[in-house]
């Protein structure tokens, strides 16, 4: 966060808060003076629901009456911090470390298009040709299903991919190529315990050294599900809608078929996270994995099937980690990501970097079988025990924002606020690309599970209003 904002916050909070009970250095360069402050969250502990009525004026001048009956929700902490972070650099050295961590002593191979085997390229070519042919055939036979949709760009992209695959096929080998230079490639493969895994480092653009996500998953359609569903025609896994703690590895859906206990599985995940080079990682969610098996029977209509038999099984565990401070992962506050503001990638600003920093790890009897690391960050500096504005001041700012700028928020889905929550939210550093600060922020929203409808955000330190679309 900009240093002049923090200095302003020191002055403002002295006016708003009156007497204080402890001191903290607000200067992020470590050269500041001591300021008497009141930083504890205890000041909000007795806060009652906030009830209010607000009239919002839309862009067309129409008025909408909004009801506020918001429960005040606090994090499980004594106080809060300002945490400076930056986008994690994923260079060749880091890629080698992560790959070695996952494959341990196993060989690591290049697996970008230029290094795919002859068989893989031939399969890609066949699959792409079939996709083009099938779509052209269906468009000719059922034009009414496609309306005015233009598929020219899709066909062009598929043809370009075909040409690229055919070009690489001319020099392709029958075996994988051992990886030596980890700066030259973003896709890899390797064997662990007899299972072939693919690893992809997805950059945001061709020159970026930071990644949007890292994905590790089994290849070759190898079966990694529960033994009880192995003979079904189709087996899919999904996330269970429950969490547990302690020693309870069973659920109302059934006993977990994994031979690892929850604690043993988490130890594997913890070890991977520690060895992967990511620091300040906090596990904030853990659940079982629900697998669903289906037997299918083809109908008279080509390509269509009906389910003749099905069964479920709980097998394995998912652990979710996020970068954080004081045992609070920033991602655990959830919901406020780029896709809450922008519904399609095409609408997102250039070079956006989502706030959804987290690592998802799935563990089964085969060990870690799936890893998804999204928008990784590293912590540079922590300023602890920052002073927060009185709640009455924040509520006044929120009400004024809705009255003056209500047209910025979408009330088409609901016209109420039920939650006023103190969270960590990420702000950009306008003077240094790829750098941000997580700050305590009050979020007023219509909350429904993980959905934050028409969220209004106010910096809990200086009272400034924050707009999500400006911070991605």
């Amino acid at each position: 966060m900009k240093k002049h904002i923090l200095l302003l916050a020191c002055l403002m909070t002295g006016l708003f808060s009156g007497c204080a009970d402890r001191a903290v250095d607000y200067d992020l360069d470590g050269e500041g003076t001591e300021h008497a402050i009141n930083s504890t969250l205890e000041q909000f502990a007795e806060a009652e629901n906030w009830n209010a009525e607000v009239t919002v004026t839309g862009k067309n001048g129409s008025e909408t009456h909004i009801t506020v009956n918001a429960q005040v929700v606090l994090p499980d902490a004594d106080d809060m911090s300002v945490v400076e972070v930056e986008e994690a650099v994923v260079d060749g050295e880091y890629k080698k470390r992560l790959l070695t961590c996952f494959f341990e002593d196993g060989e690591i191979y290049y697996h970008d298009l230029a290094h795919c085997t002859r068989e893989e390229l031939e399969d890609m070519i066949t699959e792409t040709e079939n996709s083009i042919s099938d779509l052209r055939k269906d468009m000719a036979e059922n034009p009414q299903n496609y309306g005015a949709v233009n598929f020219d760009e899709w066909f062009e992209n598929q043809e370009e991919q075909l040409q690229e695959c055919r070009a690489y096929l001319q020099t392709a080998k029958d075996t994988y190529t051992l990886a030596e230079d980890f700066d030259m490639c973003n896709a890899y493969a390797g064997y662990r315990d007899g299972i072939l895994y693919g690893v992809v480092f997805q950059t945001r653009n061709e020159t970026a050294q930071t990644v949007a996500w890292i994905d590790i998953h089994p290849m070759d359609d190898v079966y990694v599900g529960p033994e009880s569903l192995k003979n079904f025609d189709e087996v899919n896994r999904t996330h269970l809608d429950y969490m547990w703690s302690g020693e309870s590895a069973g659920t109302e859906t059934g006993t977990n078929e994994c031979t690892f206990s929850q604690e043993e599985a988490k130890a594997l995940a913890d070890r991977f996270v520690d060895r992967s080079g990511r620091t300040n990682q906090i596990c904030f969610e853990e659940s079982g994995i629900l697998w669903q098996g289906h037997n299918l029977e083809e109908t008279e209509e080509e390509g269509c099937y009906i389910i003749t038999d099905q069964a479920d099984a709980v097998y394995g565990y998912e652990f979710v980690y996020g970068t954080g401070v004081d045992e609070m992962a920033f991602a655990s506050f959830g919901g406020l990501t780029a896709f809450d503001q922008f519904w399609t990638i095409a609408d997102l600003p250039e070079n956006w970097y989502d706030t959804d920093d987290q690592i998802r790890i799935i563990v089964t009897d085969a060990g870690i079988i799936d890893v998804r690391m999204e928008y990784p960050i590293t912590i540079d500096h922590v300023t602890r025990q920052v002073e927060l504005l009185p709640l009455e001041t924040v509520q006044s700012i929120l009400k004024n924002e809705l009255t003056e700028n209500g047209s910025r928020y979408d009330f088409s889905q609901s016209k109420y606020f039920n939650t006023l929550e103190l969270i960590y939210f990420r702000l950009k550093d306008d003077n240094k690309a790829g750098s941000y600060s997580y700050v305590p922020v009050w979020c007023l929203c219509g909350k429904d599970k993980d959905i934050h409808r028409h969220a209004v955000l106010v910096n809990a330190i200086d009272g400034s209003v924050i707009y999500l679309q400006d911070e991605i």
Side-chain angles (χ1 to χ4, degrees):
M1 189 173 64
K2 308 173 189 68
K3 295 179 179 60
H4 70 271
I5 293 291
L6 281 177
L7 294 175
L8 176 63
C10 298
L11 298 174
M12 289 182 64
T13 48
L15 294 173
F16 280 120
S17 302
C19 297
D21 60 3
R22 67 178 71 179
V24 65
D25 182 1
Y26 276 90
D27 189 274
L28 297 184
D29 292 325
E31 299 176 355
T33 57
E34 296 293 307
H35 299 271
I37 68 164
N38 175 13
S39 62
T40 66
L41 300 192
E42 186 179 356
Q43 61 184 301
F44 310 120
E46 302 300 322
E48 299 179 349
N49 279 22
W50 180 30
N51 295 298
E53 297 289 333
V54 182
T55 299
V56 173
T57 303
K59 294 179 181 178
N60 59 359
S62 63
E63 293 186 343
T64 302
H65 298 286
I66 307 298
T67 300
V68 180
N69 182 8
Q71 178 185 10
V72 177
V73 180
L74 303 174
D76 185 13
D78 295 327
D79 46 53
M80 298 186 77
S81 305
V82 170
V83 186
E84 288 187 284
V85 305
E86 61 183 356
E87 299 171 15
V89 174
V90 182
D91 54 15
E93 182 180 347
Y94 181 79
K95 285 186 280 189
K96 183 177 181 179
R97 176 173 183 168
L98 182 68
L99 290 163
T100 302
C101 168
F102 183 78
F103 291 113
E104 298 179 343
D105 296 327
E107 293 181 334
I108 302 167
Y109 311 107
Y110 296 122
H111 198 244
D112 57 343
L113 203 57
H115 293 92
C116 284
T117 64
R118 176 175 296 277
E119 181 180 359
E120 287 175 329
L121 287 169
E122 289 174 342
D123 287 344
M124 285 185 219
I125 291 171
T126 300
E127 184 177 339
T128 304
E129 288 175 337
N130 289 340
S131 295
I132 294 173
S133 175
D134 290 345
L135 182 56
R136 289 194 186 280
K137 179 181 178 182
D138 196 55
M139 290 177 70
E141 294 176 353
N142 304 288
Q144 71 279 3
N145 295 337
Y146 296 90
V149 179
N150 191 330
F151 282 88
D152 290 347
E153 185 176 349
W154 184 86
F155 283 120
E156 184 179 333
N157 290 336
Q158 296 300 299
E159 290 293 346
E160 288 178 1
Q161 182 175 314
L162 272 177
Q163 292 179 14
E164 195 172 7
C165 289
R166 287 167 180 156
Y168 285 127
L169 184 61
Q170 303 305 311
T171 56
K173 301 191 301 184
D174 293 326
T175 57
Y176 291 119
T177 302
L178 280 172
E180 297 176 348
D181 182 357
F182 293 89
D183 283 311
M184 65 170 284
C185 181
N186 282 327
Y188 299 86
Y191 289 92
R192 198 196 67 202
D193 298 329
I195 298 175
L196 179 65
Y197 290 89
V199 184
V200 177
F201 297 83
Q202 181 61 52
T203 58
R204 289 177 292 152
N205 55 60
E206 293 181 359
T207 60
Q209 202 174 30
T210 57
V211 298
W213 45 262
I214 302 169
D215 188 61
I216 304 176
H217 58 275
M219 294 170 57
D220 290 348
D221 296 324
V222 61
Y223 183 74
V224 292
E227 191 67 25
S228 62
L229 302 180
K230 189 171 185 178
N231 294 324
F232 279 82
D233 296 334
E234 178 185 81
V235 179
N236 301 306
R237 79 167 186 251
T238 185
H239 182 273
L240 274 177
D241 252 341
Y242 70 90
M243 291 182 288
W244 72 92
S245 59
E247 299 179 355
S248 60
T251 74
E252 66 274 9
T253 311
T255 301
N256 200 310
E257 294 183 18
C258 185
T259 58
F260 289 120
S261 67
Q262 175 192 343
E263 292 78 10
E264 291 168 334
K266 186 172 184 298
L268 288 176
D270 287 345
R271 181 173 179 268
F272 173 81
V273 172
D274 291 341
R275 295 182 63 219
S276 72
R278 295 294 306 281
T279 57
N280 302 104
Q281 296 302 300
I282 298 162
C283 182
F284 65 91
E285 181 180 321
E286 46 193 273
S287 68
I289 304 296
L290 179 65
W291 300 73
Q292 298 177 319
H294 302 109
N295 283 329
L296 307 174
E297 182 178 303
E298 190 168 6
T299 65
E300 294 181 358
E301 185 177 350
E302 183 180 354
C304 293
Y305 298 84
I306 60 172
I307 297 174
T308 59
D309 188 23
Q310 64 181 28
D312 297 339
V314 180
Y315 174 62
Y317 311 87
E318 181 177 56
F319 303 96
V320 187
Y321 299 77
T323 307
V325 65
D326 298 328
E327 299 305 313
M328 290 183 290
F330 302 133
S332 67
F333 295 97
L336 293 170
T337 69
F339 289 98
D340 286 306
Q341 178 68 34
F342 305 97
W343 293 104
T344 66
I345 289 180
D347 295 330
L348 286 163
E350 187 177 357
N351 290 326
W352 62 280
Y353 200 78
D354 208 347
T355 58
D356 200 21
D357 153 66
Q358 60 180 266
I359 309 172
R360 291 184 173 271
I361 298 175
I362 291 178
V363 179
T364 68
D365 288 345
I368 294 174
I369 64 164
D370 199 288
V371 178
R372 177 81 174 190
M373 188 181 297
E374 299 182 344
Y375 299 94
I377 57 174
T378 56
I379 290 179
D380 289 337
H381 185 83
V382 180
T383 302
R384 299 186 181 278
Q385 299 177 338
V386 293
E387 184 179 5
L388 307 179
L389 292 172
L391 189 57
E392 294 79 5
T393 302
V394 172
Q395 290 169 344
S396 177
I397 295 170
L398 286 164
K399 192 169 183 179
N400 183 71
E401 168 65 10
L402 288 169
T403 302
E404 299 295 326
N405 299 304
S407 61
R408 298 187 67 124
Y409 306 92
D410 180 9
F411 294 101
S412 60
Q413 298 297 315
S414 64
K415 295 176 175 57
Y416 67 89
F417 291 100
N418 60 11
T419 303
L420 178 56
E421 183 175 7
L422 184 60
I423 66 173
Y424 274 110
F425 184 77
R426 196 189 74 187
L427 303 180
K428 283 195 304 186
D429 184 337
D430 292 333
N431 298 315
K432 186 178 179 182
S435 293
Y436 311 87
S437 290
Y438 276 91
V439 302
V441 166
W442 286 102
C443 173
L444 177 66
C445 63
K447 191 170 184 178
D448 181 10
K449 294 184 178 179
D450 291 330
I451 299 174
H452 297 68
R453 301 190 189 281
H454 41 68
V456 187
L457 306 173
V458 170
N459 188 319
I461 300 174
D462 66 11
S464 57
V465 178
I466 300 164
Y467 301 112
L468 176 61
Q469 62 270 29
D470 297 336
E471 305 300 334
I472 300 301

